[in-house]
Amino acid sequence: MTWTTSAIRMLLILITVLAARAVPGPAAPLGASETFHIRFEATVGARPFQCGLAYSLGRDGATATPQYFRFYLSQVALIAAGGKRVPLTLQQDGVWQRRDVAFLSFEDPHSGCANGSPQLHTQIVGSAPRQRYTGIEFVLGVPDDLDHADATIALSPLNLSDMFWSWQDGYKFLRFDARVASSGRSASYILHVGSTGCVLSAKIAHCASPNRATVDLDGFDPAKNVIVADVADLFADADLMQLAQKGGCMSGRGDACQPVMRDLGVTFEGEPAAKQRLFRIR
């Protein structure tokens, strides 16, 4: 083969490759099932969240060093242009998603998280009909019919003992732990959100405080946007050291849970919910 023949062949191959790139494959028709990757990101204000780093947090400007940040979401739905809620059918991956429940963890095994577990996971994967979506809705929490099962035999991600109250027979929907320091004082702070005051009758739970929050986010395009969980916004009106010295929040009666529960969008102990402040779109 001469140099000229070889060059011509290479040129033909290049033209073929460029032509293939220039002509996109046929798009799935509207209404066909499409897989969506819903991305999440944890921040503390403008800074990325990372266990072990110190942040100024709360109205009192306490220094907080996070040790834990994980939560369960369920009943995820995309919102179509006309406002219709379209359930996102979660991919059953055997690890992070089961039925209509997804688990997100912002624990980095290389940071100062309490467990140091290798379970950093920041996305939900599911399918819905292909169409234009302009928002998303989900529940912060585990559905009632799964909330009071036996976690020791439950399938992942509902088998995490650190996200389950054995004494309460229910899951911690959200867990945030931190070491807090202010004016020479230091204390541990915990925020464990879950249903409380529950009574089981014929395997059905009746909870005085369900403590689930429904989150609606407008202006969400799953192809472009990320859902930010901003810890600084959630605690913006809280005196964190004061809450820590009172023992933090285990979602029980008399716990130091306000104003955090209110700003999660949870009605708690007679105080109405506010518009939730943890999640926003970027």
Side-chain angles (χ1 to χ4, degrees), residues 227-240:
I227 300 174
V228 176
D230 188 343
V231 175
D233 246 5
L234 177 63
F235 289 102
D237 287 339
D239 291 319
L240 203 58

Side-chain angles (χ1 to χ4, degrees), residues 17-278:
V17 169
L18 291 175
R21 288 183 177 180
V23 181
L30 288 175
S33 181
E34 181 173 358
T35 299
F36 294 92
H37 295 254
I38 311 298
R39 296 169 295 153
F40 287 75
E41 179 180 299
T43 69
V44 184
R47 298 172 60 191
F49 172 91
Q50 185 176 320
C51 290
L53 296 185
Y55 302 91
S56 177
L57 204 61
R59 189 169 59 182
D60 55 350
T63 298
T65 305
Q67 299 171 317
Y68 237 111
F69 190 34
R70 302 168 128 186
F71 50 79
Y72 287 103
L73 303 181
S74 60
Q75 302 170 59
V76 183
L78 296 172
I79 303 174
K84 181 181 178 183
R85 270 61 175 167
V86 180
L88 187 72
T89 302
L90 299 187
Q91 190 177 85
Q92 303 299 291
D93 59 16
V95 180
W96 304 107
Q97 303 181 165
R98 172 164 170 71
R99 218 188 67 175
D100 59 344
V101 177
F103 179 66
L104 296 173
S105 174
F106 300 93
E107 290 204 17
D108 183 335
H110 305 295
S111 68
C113 290
N115 272 3
S117 70
Q119 293 180 308
L120 181 69
H121 184 68
T122 61
Q123 71 171 353
I124 292 173
V125 182
S127 59
R130 180 175 178 267
Q131 59 180 303
R132 178 171 173 258
Y133 294 107
T134 60
I136 188 168
E137 179 181 273
F138 53 82
V139 172
L140 178 62
V142 174
D144 211 31
D145 63 321
L146 291 177
D147 190 21
H148 304 281
D150 185 347
T152 62
I153 58 173
L155 299 177
S156 187
L158 296 169
N159 60 347
L160 301 170
S161 60
D162 59 320
M163 295 295 290
F164 190 79
W165 285 315
S166 57
W167 55 271
Q168 184 69 25
D169 286 334
Y171 289 91
K172 301 166 192 173
F173 305 153
L174 178 147
R175 179 171 179 174
F176 174 81
D177 296 6
R179 192 71 191 169
V180 179
S182 178
S183 303
R185 298 167 296 168
S186 177
S188 293
Y189 173 76
I190 58 171
L191 172 64
H192 296 178
V193 179
S195 295
T196 54
C198 301
V199 176
L200 285 173
S201 175
K203 297 185 178 180
I204 298 175
H206 302 276
C207 299
S209 301
N211 298 334
R212 295 182 184 85
T214 299
V215 178
D216 283 277
L217 297 170
D218 293 328
F220 178 73
D221 182 340
K224 298 177 181 176
N225 296 121
V226 174
I227 300 174
V228 176
D230 188 343
V231 175
D233 246 5
L234 177 63
F235 289 102
D237 287 339
D239 291 319
L240 203 58
M241 174 54 77
Q242 188 179 84
L243 296 180
Q245 290 184 318
K246 290 182 177 179
C249 176
M250 296 277 277
S251 303
R253 290 178 63 85
D255 287 358
C257 292
Q258 297 292 21
V260 185
M261 282 291 210
R262 180 199 67 195
D263 292 340
L264 265 178
V266 173
T267 297
F268 185 76
E269 289 202 314
E271 185 166 344
K275 182 175 173 57
Q276 69 82 26
R277 299 177 66 168
L278 177 59

